[in-house]
Amino acid sequence: MLGSAKQSLHLTIRGVVQGIGFRPFVYRLAKEIGLVGWVNNSTAGVFIEVEGTKQQLEDFVLRLKTENPPRSQIQNIEINWRKLKGFKTFKILPSTTGKKTAIVLPDLATCPDCLQEIFDPNNRRYRYPFTNCTNCGPRYSIIEALPYDRANTTMKAFSMCPSCETEYQNPSDRRFHAQPNTCPQCGPKIELWDSMGKIVAQNYHAICVTAAAIRQGKIVAVKGLGGFHLIVDARNKKAVQLLRQRKHRPDKPLALMYPNLELIKEDCQVSELEEKLLRSPEAPIVILRRSRGEWLYSFQENFVNALTINCAIAPDNPYWGIMLPYTPLHHLLMAELGFAIVATSGNLANEPICIDEHEAIKRLNGIADLFLIHDRPIVRPIDDSIARIIMREETIIRRARGYAPLPISILKSKNSHPAILAVGAHLKNTIAIAIDHQIFLSQHIGDLETSQAIDAFSQVIASFQKLYDFEPEIIAGDRHPDYFSSHPYTSVERRCLRVTVGQYAQNSGKKVIPVQHHYAHVLACMAENQILGETVLGIAWDGSGYGLDSTIWGGEFLLIPAIESLNLTSGEQPFQRVAHLHPFPLPGGDLAIKEPRRSALGLLYEVFGDQLFSEKQFQPLLVAFSHQELTIFAKMLSNKINTPLTSSIGRLFDGIAAITNLCQIASFEGQAAMQLEFALDCVLTEESYPLLFQNTQIDWRSMLLAILEDVTNKVSVDIISAKFHHTLVDAILSIAQQVKVAKIVLTGGCFQNKCLTEKAIAKLRTAGFQPYWHHRTPSNDGSIALGQAIAAILETTNNLNCINKVVP
């Protein structure tokens, strides 16, 4: 019969299909259906060639799409009919090389099966801290090259014992072709070192001694999946304060790790969605609201309870960042402890986390008392990701472990684009590369403020180039002339010279495309929400970004027209700045980021001018400054010396926080804005302040006068904060109604503010608009590289057919 005649198919499967048990799944499926042929990994994805009847082959393709492993994501399947070759069985063949476009899977939290094994005394992996399988464990942190095979990972130094080899070769075993497969007999080992690198304990005894040291108040550096944590007993106020002192981190919230969900629920409010996020394979740090009693008690200066978490974790903050154990090592340690610990990044401020034990002994000497290390090398530093729930949906704040380097995938078209490297922003830096229909976004790198951070930035670029055999033809960077990220290939000597984009282009020999900061913000959010090419009003609110007029932008309303109405290669600007915050001077420029009082001074000067310094009625507003400082600032502002103009909403937040005396000097970026957000806790008022709209400007001066009146009348700060937030939401709605574009994009670091974002979304929806915001990429500068890459694609192709629909 014709229907029983054998036919042959060759399939190319692209997506998240390596390091997740996809080949074993294909093998078992082919065997079950009765097909013959082969499957292998390639540098582009997974190749399959199968022979069987037409009905068998159709069933196979359908079940590939519907029964694929839970963590896999099939983006597309290319099907080609081939001549029969007469295969006799079905095999997994060795991997092949070629153009490298395969998706590297992020590291995944320990699965329930492996977790059960490490706590089973009868299992050969009992208490083994490197237990993993095809459903969990290290991926991105250990891979050195594509395709994803053991020989291309740092596990190549560990030869599998006969038992592990048997599992690896057994199609019915969940460790079938699990590349990091290992056990106590053949795999990595742990040791506890003192501060000089001398061995104190080994194997599971090292975990027991570590737990004892933590109970005693010691600070322990623990080498995990993507780098070191610094760990202390979260209940021990003195230990936490000592960690802060040694790490030079006086106020910034510290992340917590709890042994289990039940203990988290004793201290925090945990919704169903937050619980799901905590338990997810990504296992990020989740921002949770503290129980009301805990939040109130934290304001008592001497409050500390030996049985609960102390207020030094996150001073004056109603939220904690909490994660569950996500590696076997963490599970074993937390089982020994039974209480919450601080688990913060193993680094000094503005430095990347340590990934090598010998490096850690040097860099963390003076911070950590002991070092719990292992001998499985980490290829690249990968911080813990941070997420929270906004509008009942997951929102990423820091994208790293569990999420990176998954790409934004852009559907192919006949118009190709050059190889593009996007180098991101100066703060919260990430980088991205655009190859064919994919934009690979790196893990969080951090602020490029130190030589170590700059080295890490360069290493991530080099790592991406090696992993994907990638050589950029075009560099996309921020327009800001002083951002180091815009000059990634300059020598060490030139790093301090702050060369311009034009100079860099000339020196690198590559074309450089400068991208306006807030335009990149909007494009990144559009890409994630699959609305590229459509007309949108992008609302980009953040701390700072270099504007087209050489001022500091940050309170922007950008109209992005439909792509078919633009001709980008002709030099036409791809957006229109339809509105923005009325600008005000920043005394000392970037120094205002660390001193919110400077933003306050700039706001006050914009309203009152030189009278601010000469009339006694204004003296109560200037108590944060010494007489000498005021003399200097008066001259600076009057003569416009180092007082750049800004339209930044972020700096507006800072200024209001200082005027209400919530924060005059900040020890970390965003501290003042956070204090202003937290001040409105549980306030029910719907009042707002007056706001004027003049041409394209949102004039905040009437609002400031009303706030000053409230301050004078001793109106509570929580009421002032609530009215301020409502006023900003009113501004969003007012401009949206004037512009009359249905789709509104909310992006920029200010939209990490849960209250602001949720109120804006609700009000826009009620008025009939369609608001979009970030979910799987950060609203802060962590997504700038993604937007830069898309801007470069648009400029080089002048055609959005290739990015008309985006699949995250």
Side-chain angles (χ1 to χ4, degrees), residues 265-285:
K265 289 182 176 180
E266 290 182 10
D267 291 334
C268 296
Q269 302 169 22
V270 184
S271 70
E272 182 179 343
L273 291 172
E274 289 164 339
E275 179 175 338
K276 182 179 179 182
L277 194 53
L278 285 164
R279 292 182 179 274
S280 69
E282 292 84 2
I285 297 169

Side-chain angles (χ1 to χ4, degrees), residues 688-709:
S688 59
Y689 290 114
L691 206 60
L692 298 177
F693 299 91
Q694 297 184 350
N695 298 321
T696 62
Q697 293 190 8
I698 302 169
D699 193 337
W700 45 264
R701 288 175 289 190
S702 58
M703 177 187 71
L704 182 68
L705 290 172
I707 289 174
L708 291 174
E709 183 177 353

Side-chain angles (χ1 to χ4, degrees), residues 83-208:
K83 291 182 179 180
L84 285 170
K85 295 181 180 177
F87 298 117
K88 301 299 181 184
T89 185
F90 194 89
K91 299 179 179 180
I92 296 180
L93 295 183
S95 300
T96 58
T97 59
K99 187 173 183 179
K100 297 180 179 181
T101 58
I103 294 175
V104 176
L105 197 70
D107 301 306
L108 300 175
T110 306
C111 71
D113 290 329
C114 287
L115 187 59
Q116 183 178 11
E117 289 177 345
I118 66 172
F119 288 111
D120 179 2
N122 298 316
N123 192 281
R124 72 188 189 94
R125 291 186 173 87
Y126 178 53
R127 291 178 169 174
Y128 184 57
F130 303 98
T131 301
N132 67 86
C133 68
T134 54
N135 300 318
C136 68
R139 299 295 191 274
Y140 182 49
S141 62
I142 63 171
I143 189 170
E144 297 173 326
L146 287 169
Y148 178 65
D149 291 326
R150 192 181 184 99
N152 291 328
T153 74
T154 59
M155 285 300 295
K156 63 179 180 290
F158 303 94
S159 298
M160 283 184 282
C161 66
S163 296
C164 287
E165 185 68 35
T166 299
E167 293 170 331
Y168 184 85
Q169 300 295 346
N170 181 1
S172 63
D173 197 290
R174 77 175 195 280
R175 294 189 170 92
F176 182 45
H177 280 248
Q179 304 306 326
N181 189 29
T182 189
C183 75
Q185 281 66 49
C186 62
K189 302 289 192 295
I190 59 171
E191 294 178 341
L192 182 65
W193 291 359
D194 65 16
S195 60
M196 301 299 291
K198 181 180 178 181
I199 297 174
V200 175
Q202 295 177 304
N203 301 321
Y204 190 72
H205 182 55
I207 293 177
C208 296

Side-chain angles (χ1 to χ4, degrees), residues 43 82 102 185 202 212 224 236 256 281-282 394 412 418 425 427 512 546 607 703 718 790:
T43 52
R82 296 281 178 89
Q185 281 66 49
Q202 295 177 304
N236 189 324
L256 296 170
E282 292 84 2
E394 176 186 5
K412 285 186 173 180
L427 301 179
V512 173
Y546 193 68
V607 173
M703 177 187 71
D718 56 352
I790 293 169

Side-chain angles (χ1 to χ4, degrees), residues 244 250-253 290 295 298-299 311 313-319 596 650 653-681 683 716-722 724-725 753 755:
R244 285 192 174 280
D251 302 305
K252 193 173 183 179
R290 297 159 65 176
W295 169 224
S298 73
F299 284 107
C311 59
I313 299 300
D316 299 334
N317 190 329
Y319 296 94
F653 263 94
D654 287 353
I656 302 304
I659 287 170
T660 54
N661 204 31
L662 284 170
C663 183
Q664 301 291 347
I665 305 292
S667 66
F668 65 92
E669 193 240 346
Q671 182 178 5
M674 289 169 62
Q675 292 301 313
L676 195 59
E677 176 188 1
F678 301 153
L680 58 78
D681 189 56
V683 176
S716 64
V717 175
D718 56 352
I719 296 295
I720 294 174
S721 176
F724 172 71
H725 279 78
N753 182 318
C755 173

